[in-house]
Amino acid sequence: MTGERRPLAARPLTEPHPSRLPLDHPDRERVLAVHAAALDAGEAGYLDPDTGLFVLTAGFLARRGTCCGRGCRHCPYVDDPSGDADVTPQRRDG
């Protein structure tokens, strides 16, 4: 199902699915702050405050128009209870 066009989830782009960034994640507020700043600036992503990895924003992923199925943290297409936008997400940091 990679590359499948699907509607955006019924939540703001600023709010990731809880399976991708749990409500009890120790750095949730910091992650959400840098994500919001990147969204506001129209940037494709941001550096994760803990790992330094580049993480794509929900805005960039929404503009792409399809779900890649890699388990992106801010995937705007995830709307089911398990958090799976595709059959087998491969990583959860993107």
Side-chain angles (χ1 to χ4, degrees):
M1 290 191 187
T2 300
E4 177 184 331
R5 292 206 178 270
R6 60 179 64 223
L8 295 177
R11 66 175 186 283
L13 292 179
T14 54
E15 186 60 36
H17 191 280
S19 71
R20 303 293 172 90
L21 185 64
L23 298 174
D24 62 351
H25 187 283
D27 291 315
R28 180 178 169 81
E29 293 308 314
R30 220 165 43 141
V31 167
L32 292 178
V34 294
H35 178 254
L39 276 175
D40 290 346
E43 296 172 356
Y46 63 91
L47 294 179
D48 181 83
D50 290 329
T51 66
L53 296 173
F54 189 76
V55 180
L56 297 171
T57 66
F60 173 84
L61 296 168
R63 287 189 300 275
R64 185 169 56 189
T66 60
C67 174
C68 66
R70 292 190 178 126
C72 299
R73 176 184 283 168
H74 299 286
C75 180
Y77 303 100
V78 177
D79 206 18
D80 66 38
S82 71
D84 290 338
D86 206 337
V87 178
T88 25
Q90 299 169 0
R91 69 171 194 247
R92 300 236 179 229
D93 63 347

